[in-house]
Amino acid sequence: MDNIIQDIDILDKNSQEVTDTVLTSKEENTGKKKKLYIESYGCQMNFADSEIVSSIMKDNGYDTTSKFEQADVIFLNTCSIREKAELTVRKRLTDFNKIKKRKPELTIGVLGCMAERLKDKLLEEEKLVDLVVGPDAYRDLPTLVGSAEEGLKAINTLLSREETYADISPVRLNSNGVNAFISIMRGCDNMCSFCVVPFTRGRERSRDPHSIVREAQDLFDQGYREVTLLGQNVDSYKWSPEENNKAWLEKKEKQGETEVVINFANLIEMVAKVSPDLRVRFSTSHPKDITNEVLHTIKKYENICNYIHLPAQSGNSRVLELMNRTYTREWYINRVDAIREILGSECGISSDMIAGFCSETEEEHQDTLSLMDYVKFDFSYMFFYSERPGTLAAKKYEDDIPLAVKKRRLQEIIDKQRKYSFERNKLDLNKVHKVLVEGTSKRSEEHLSGRSTANKVVIFPKKNFKKGDYVNVFVDDCTTATLLGNSVD
């Protein structure tokens, strides 16, 4: 099933959502005595966190390496959103066990969401692991590594209401030099019943917007031409000079105790003003929080990309209530209608869909398919429901849909999405699109690959263009996943 999704290539590569991608640290030789190797799994937030970890360790005497055999310290930055992600990490640990036997002084650490979920249980189950560190404790890594080097198992999985790592300049790993991710907030206050994120990343808090703008400016000065603002729920970004915790800030607002509040619409405008040549994307939006103010801000600035990842999860209101998504089918449609009205039919919209959630009937599954008919998503992340320990759904609901039914429903969702991905791409034919070049095409060194403002991959002949250029491309052909064309003056 995963191969089918990958083959038709309709997953959003820039989305906050979890992917099967594994990123490793780059080779760096600045003369430091020790080497750090990182493998990152899951969502773009994890990949961004690995860049923060690299920066912290670099300040403490470590260069990064792309070869784990050469490392003094190995970190696995993990995901817990699906069981498969955790099983992949456990299998990878068995690979590292071989080198650990030859090199007993090697320090191995598990970071991120899996570490936060399992805590000291992970040290008990995986004997070769020396340290377990949650997403809010990365500043403590040098001390914990020092303890591990002295033969002491180390753990810090304390969650914070304040930590945003705003003062740390990330070390860009595996960067193409064009696109970069900027974390604008941490944690999540939404308690979706199927999701472990609130338990592994803590309460929602927003990063100082001025530090975000400085990071965007620094990236632009280094030659980057696109930034993606990352958060579990970017539309609920809210910051004041006195408070970065959304829950506390909203309480103070109600009591009239705060005057200056910067919301997400304000933030994307601030970043857009860095330069008209710096594209701005963001992920992920929540249907309950995305506002018309945000949509009008996108419309106002040409360099804020005309694309929104708006996870639906289901097209049925009863199932959405069981998921604790806090909106109905009608509300979701209202938000899609607002996007189409304000930003136009060409605005890219992608989604997440879960097939076979607890007690989902065949009729309710048809509601998901009919929602897809209404919206016509450009692409989607599509999964069948997999129960995660500790979630509200695991505690309250029976996972009662047979696996064969889940897979069949998922296939129907995939088939429909493939149809609409192709249909939406055909609407881009015989038009000129402004494309930011990200590199050469995977299939031909004579062709370049880039993305349109609507997050569509566009392939065209190389000529004299290079990575980081903006190119006007007349699109005259397409596949389900790609637009094809030629540059024009």
Side-chain angles (χ1 to χ4, degrees), residues 14 178-180 182 216 219-220 224-229 268 271-282 301-306 433-438 450-456 458 469-472:
N14 285 340
V178 178
N179 317 94
I182 300 178
L219 287 165
F220 182 76
Y224 288 84
R225 289 298 174 262
E226 180 178 288
V227 294
T228 300
L229 308 182
I268 56 174
V271 177
K273 287 181 176 179
V274 166
S275 171
D277 289 329
L278 180 68
R279 272 187 174 175
V280 182
R281 298 190 187 275
F282 53 87
Y301 292 91
E302 188 269 341
N303 59 322
I304 302 179
C305 291
N306 210 24
H433 300 266
K434 185 178 180 180
V435 177
L436 174 59
V437 180
E438 297 179 354
R451 288 182 184 269
S452 69
T453 183
N455 208 28
K456 303 288 185 69
V458 185
D469 285 347
Y470 286 103
V471 181
N472 290 321

Side-chain angles (χ1 to χ4, degrees), residues 421-422 425-426 477-484:
S421 291
F422 191 39
N425 277 357
K426 285 193 289 185
D477 198 3
C478 70
T479 68
T480 301
T482 310
L483 304 179
L484 308 169

Side-chain angles (χ1 to χ4, degrees), residues 165-233:
Y165 301 109
D167 60 317
I168 294 175
S169 180
V171 172
R172 303 295 166 181
L173 301 174
N174 297 289
S175 171
N176 62 4
V178 178
N179 317 94
F181 297 96
I182 300 178
S183 296
I184 68 168
M185 58 199 302
R186 300 186 72 82
C188 184
D189 286 350
N190 298 312
M191 298 296 290
C192 299
S193 64
F194 54 80
C195 186
V196 298
V197 168
F199 307 106
T200 60
R201 287 192 169 268
R203 295 302 299 270
E204 195 172 291
R205 62 271 188 200
S206 298
R207 179 179 163 189
D208 180 340
H210 306 292
S211 72
I212 295 169
V213 172
R214 283 196 300 271
E215 186 172 339
Q217 182 67 62
D218 288 344
L219 287 165
F220 182 76
D221 293 343
Q222 293 172 41
Y224 288 84
R225 289 298 174 262
E226 180 178 288
V227 294
T228 300
L229 308 182
L230 292 179
Q232 305 298 147
N233 178 13

Side-chain angles (χ1 to χ4, degrees), residues 176-416:
N176 62 4
V178 178
N179 317 94
F181 297 96
I182 300 178
S183 296
I184 68 168
M185 58 199 302
R186 300 186 72 82
C188 184
D189 286 350
N190 298 312
M191 298 296 290
C192 299
S193 64
F194 54 80
C195 186
V196 298
V197 168
F199 307 106
T200 60
R201 287 192 169 268
R203 295 302 299 270
E204 195 172 291
R205 62 271 188 200
S206 298
R207 179 179 163 189
D208 180 340
H210 306 292
S211 72
I212 295 169
V213 172
R214 283 196 300 271
E215 186 172 339
Q217 182 67 62
D218 288 344
L219 287 165
F220 182 76
D221 293 343
Q222 293 172 41
Y224 288 84
R225 289 298 174 262
E226 180 178 288
V227 294
T228 300
L229 308 182
L230 292 179
Q232 305 298 147
N233 178 13
V234 292
D235 291 290
S236 65
Y237 176 94
K238 191 170 287 189
W239 180 91
S240 81
E242 300 85 21
E243 185 59 69
N244 75 347
N245 182 283
K246 188 190 75 171
W248 290 347
L249 182 55
E250 289 181 344
K251 183 178 179 180
K252 286 185 177 182
E253 280 185 289
K254 289 178 181 178
Q255 295 171 348
E257 296 179 8
T258 185
E259 296 180 0
V260 179
V261 175
I262 293 178
N263 63 21
F264 185 59
N266 305 143
L267 177 66
I268 56 174
E269 182 170 43
M270 292 168 67
V271 177
K273 287 181 176 179
V274 166
S275 171
D277 289 329
L278 180 68
R279 272 187 174 175
V280 182
R281 298 190 187 275
F282 53 87
S283 186
T284 294
S285 292
H286 196 295
K288 75 178 177 64
D289 290 315
I290 190 168
T291 64
N292 286 1
E293 182 185 10
V294 167
L295 301 180
H296 284 294
T297 304
I298 295 171
K299 183 177 182 179
K300 181 179 178 182
Y301 292 91
E302 188 269 341
N303 59 322
I304 302 179
C305 291
N306 210 24
Y307 162 73
I308 297 172
H309 183 61
L310 195 69
Q313 308 297 0
S314 172
N316 177 266
S317 293
R318 186 191 75 89
V319 174
L320 288 170
E321 184 175 5
L322 290 178
M323 291 177 169
N324 198 33
R325 291 291 287 173
T326 67
Y327 56 84
T328 62
R329 174 190 176 93
E330 289 71 28
W331 176 268
Y332 188 90
I333 288 174
N334 170 273
R335 293 293 79 205
V336 170
D337 288 346
I339 292 169
R340 297 298 188 211
E341 180 180 347
I342 296 170
L343 297 177
S345 61
E346 293 184 352
C347 178
I349 303 177
S350 59
S351 183
D352 299 346
M353 290 298 181
I354 297 176
F357 189 70
C358 308
S359 78
E360 181 189 63
T361 66
E362 194 61 35
E363 183 179 2
E364 289 165 341
H365 166 62
Q366 293 299 320
D367 283 344
T368 294
L369 297 178
S370 68
L371 181 69
M372 296 176 73
D373 289 333
Y374 184 88
V375 180
K376 297 180 172 62
F377 297 106
D378 292 79
F379 30 82
S380 293
Y381 283 92
M382 300 159 287
F383 311 104
F384 61 74
Y385 174 65
S386 174
E387 184 177 271
R388 302 304 294 127
T391 60
L392 180 65
K395 294 174 182 176
K396 286 186 64 175
Y397 310 133
E398 181 183 357
D399 183 8
D400 57 353
I401 307 300
L403 181 59
V405 174
K406 288 181 181 180
K407 288 186 174 182
R408 188 260 302 164
R409 290 178 183 175
L410 175 60
Q411 188 60 57
E412 291 175 2
I413 291 172
I414 290 171
D415 291 343
K416 189 170 288 287

